[in-house]
Amino acid sequence: MKISNILHKNGSLTLSTAQHTSKDISSSDTSPIFGVRHLQCLLVFCGLSVAYALRVNLSVAIVAMTDRNDSNPNFDEYKWTEKTKSLVLSSFFWGYVVTQVPAGSLAHKFGGKIMLLLGIGVCSVLTILTPICAKLGDWKLVCGLRVIQGLSQGFLFPSTHTILSKWAPVEERGTLGTYSYSGAQFGTVVMLATSGVVASSSMGWPGIFYISGGVGMVWTFAWFAWGASSPAEYKRISPEEKKLIETSLGFASKPEENTTPMKTPWCRILTSVPFLVLTLVHCTHNWGFWTLLTEIPTYMKNILGMDIKSNALLSALPYTAMFLMCFVFSTLQSTLSRHQCIPLSVSRKLFNSIGHWIPMITLIALGYVGADRINLAIVLLTITVGINASTYLGFQVNHIDLSPNFAGVLMGITNCAANIMSIIAPLIVGFIVTDEKNSAQWRFIFFIAAGFYFIGNLLFVVFGKTTVQSWNDMESTRVAKGRDGNCAESQH
């Protein structure tokens, strides 16, 4: 590994990295092909799968809940308007945005394991309670329940980042990270593909919540038994694998040297142009992505005229494509990097452009496809969502490029801001789409999402950076408070 400096002070790891090669791991450091780190990533994969299943189950269930003719008619039906449905669908994110920023600090203090355990465990229990909440309190109580679920899942990504930062060697970070985060698409696919069948079965639409919540509880027990925040907490890890991980990440030999975290340079972060651009592109991405995720089932039912079974199965197809394309783009990027074909900055902007501007074109085209051309509509939807996977190699890893030391903090901030878009987008759909069967109104929704994709990526291409920022290094950033309470900064 060609690293000019590795400094350990106050628990920080400062890396000035010229380049990484495939020979980063010394041949003397051997570990099992499937080691404990792979087990942790597999558990995280399953955890993210469960979490996203719990997150999106309502998108399909709400179709059956508001129209008993599309599912088993022996269960309650709720006469919710489109505005009410949009309100219910967006309520999850009201809580989700609140815990994003503090989640990283809490995961660092108490460990990623316990925060992930509580987040998914609480969400699973509340999911099981959803049918009775709908019966007792109608949409208002369901909204309240979804807000609490959002609060619990706000710990998801900061905790996952914290766990990966402890378990994934630098050389395997991209691969293990891709495998872990692809669980989000896998959970979405499974939930969208099976929920329609469950809603039409003897269990009815409540079965969607009972099954997904039950699986979440099973994962919670598995994570409690086999999960760990770091190699130091896992007693059965081999010395070879533990050495491999700690050597790669540059852990100090004395644990006490790593107990005090770096102070976060909030002022420098929040005034950094590359970081502000990253926040904006994350926001525009979430607008388009979550508009599609929450509204595709309704669009397919009312515009394409599909029943709930085919609706659910075909709604899952775009996310199946995204799940598979994660590995296609990861392999392509690894090949380009290995042969040093393009610089890192070009790579980030290229993959981000693929992930945003191709969906922009297909969204515009989708707006002009009528119910008589269902197959074309499905193809365009699949391309729109599937190609989004390219952004995992674009802006979604740019946090680490800008600041390896504060990547978790950056993710918490940008994800908080971006998920405000996740609240607004479904609400905008509710205000614009007053007639669910009006294709012109849906066309306008697609145009808005396409416009956000264009603007966000344009800003990233022009102003985005991949160089490590000066405030990443504790020694180059000293933040103190003057008498007037303002940030006083000096550079070393």
Side-chain angles (χ1 to χ4, degrees):
M1 184 190 301
K2 297 182 178 179
I3 299 178
S4 56
N5 291 304
I6 299 180
L7 303 176
H8 299 279
K9 294 185 179 181
N10 293 335
S12 67
L13 174 61
T14 304
L15 300 177
S16 300
T17 309
Q19 59 180 317
H20 297 283
T21 72
S22 60
K23 298 180 179 179
D24 286 337
I25 303 177
S26 171
S27 59
S28 61
D29 293 328
T30 60
S31 64
I33 295 177
F34 185 86
V36 177
R37 67 189 185 281
H38 302 107
L39 172 62
Q40 300 304 307
C41 288
L42 176 61
L43 290 170
V44 170
F45 168 90
C46 294
L48 290 177
S49 298
V50 168
Y52 265 69
L54 300 176
R55 185 181 301 194
V56 305
N57 54 14
L58 189 60
S59 296
V60 175
I62 201 169
V63 177
M65 293 171 72
T66 55
D67 187 355
R68 59 160 50 100
N69 294 323
D70 279 340
S71 60
N72 189 327
N74 298 321
F75 293 86
D76 293 335
E77 180 183 58
Y78 300 95
K79 299 298 182 181
W80 296 343
T81 65
E82 187 60 30
K83 288 184 179 180
T84 298
K85 288 190 285 185
S86 296
L87 192 67
V88 172
L89 289 172
S90 69
S91 59
F92 174 92
F93 299 98
W94 304 349
Y96 188 67
V97 299
V98 172
T99 46
Q100 289 293 321
V101 175
S105 299
L106 290 173
H108 177 74
K109 182 177 181 179
F110 298 106
K113 174 181 176 177
I114 186 63
M115 302 315 300
L116 199 59
L117 182 76
L118 291 174
I120 298 180
V122 170
C123 192
S124 299
V125 172
L126 295 178
T127 297
I128 296 173
L129 296 176
T130 300
I132 185 117
C133 287
K135 189 176 185 66
L136 295 177
D138 203 64
W139 67 269
K140 298 182 182 66
L141 188 54
V142 174
C143 275
L145 182 143
R146 294 287 289 182
V147 170
I148 300 174
Q149 286 182 304
L151 286 168
S152 66
Q153 283 210 22
F155 293 94
L156 194 65
F157 285 111
S159 297
T160 300
H161 271 287
T162 302
I163 291 167
L164 288 174
S165 72
K166 303 293 185 182
W167 279 101
V170 173
E171 305 78 18
E172 301 176 8
R173 184 177 292 153
T175 302
L176 296 181
T178 298
Y179 292 163
S180 298
Y181 283 109
S182 63
Q185 280 69 55
F186 184 75
T188 301
V189 167
V190 172
M191 178 50 60
L192 292 179
T194 60
S195 54
V197 177
V198 174
S200 299
S201 71
S202 60
M203 298 184 69
W205 61 259
I208 296 174
F209 300 103
Y210 296 146
I211 293 175
S212 58
V215 172
M217 293 305 299
V218 171
W219 178 88
T220 301
F221 289 118
W223 179 245
F224 178 78
W226 296 302
S229 295
S230 66
E233 292 184 9
Y234 201 94
K235 296 180 180 180
R236 294 186 296 276
I237 188 173
S238 68
E240 294 81 11
E241 184 177 12
K242 184 177 181 182
K243 179 183 178 183
L244 171 66
I245 296 170
E246 294 188 344
T247 300
S248 175
L249 298 180
F251 290 164
S253 58
K254 296 181 180 180
E256 61 271 14
E257 294 179 5
N258 290 313
T259 56
T260 306
M262 290 178 64
K263 291 184 179 179
T264 304
W266 292 106
C267 289
R268 307 250 345 235
I269 290 176
L270 297 176
T271 55
S272 169
V273 173
F275 172 70
L276 294 177
V277 169
L278 175 59
T279 304
L280 287 173
V281 71
H282 199 162
C283 289
T284 58
H285 171 83
N286 264 36
W287 182 287
F289 184 81
W290 282 99
T291 295
L292 290 173
L293 184 60
T294 57
E295 301 298 337
I296 277 180
T298 303
Y299 170 79
M300 285 184 165
K301 174 181 179 291
N302 294 292
I303 299 299
L304 303 183
M306 298 179 180
D307 60 57
I308 189 157
K309 286 185 180 179
S310 58
N311 187 342
L313 290 171
L314 290 174
S315 293
L317 182 60
Y319 300 96
T320 303
M322 188 175 184
F323 173 68
L324 297 175
M325 291 303 293
C326 283
F327 303 99
V328 173
F329 286 125
S330 179
T331 301
L332 176 60
Q333 193 274 340
S334 296
T335 301
L336 292 174
S337 177
R338 185 167 58 252
H339 293 90
Q340 299 182 348
C341 297
I342 54 177
L344 179 63
S345 61
V346 176
S347 175
R348 291 282 185 263
K349 295 176 182 180
L350 171 64
F351 282 102
N352 208 71
S353 297
I354 293 172
H356 279 169
W357 281 354
I358 292 180
M360 173 192 71
I361 296 170
T362 55
L363 272 175
I364 293 173
L366 183 63
Y368 291 96
V369 177
D372 58 331
R373 306 184 71 182
I374 293 177
N375 291 337
L376 178 59
I378 297 301
V379 169
L380 290 174
L381 276 172
T382 302
I383 293 174
T384 301
V385 178
I387 296 298
N388 259 182
S390 183
T391 61
Y392 280 113
L393 301 163
F395 85 90
Q396 299 207 47
V397 290
N398 192 229
H399 308 77
I400 302 174
D401 297 331
L402 297 179
S403 176
N405 287 329
F406 300 108
V409 174
L410 302 190
M411 173 57 79
I413 298 172
T414 67
N415 211 30
C416 175
N419 278 284
I420 294 175
M421 299 297 103
S422 303
I423 297 174
I424 298 174
L427 295 177
I428 293 298
V429 173
F431 281 106
I432 294 176
V433 182
T434 55
D435 180 2
E436 296 177 353
K437 298 184 182 298
N438 188 324
S439 59
Q441 293 179 355
W442 283 102
R443 183 182 306 134
F444 191 53
I445 294 297
F446 294 146
F447 285 178
I448 292 174
F452 273 114
Y453 276 151
F454 175 77
I455 294 171
N457 186 65
L458 180 64
L459 291 172
F460 186 71
V461 169
V462 176
F463 299 107
K465 302 291 183 182
T466 57
T467 53
V468 177
Q469 300 301 290
S470 61
W471 39 265
N472 173 71
D473 187 349
M474 182 183 62
E475 291 301 311
S476 65
T477 306
R478 298 182 183 276
V479 182
K481 284 201 171 181
R483 292 181 179 178
D484 58 356
N486 295 324
C487 289
E489 303 174 1
S490 62
Q491 294 203 359
H492 174 68

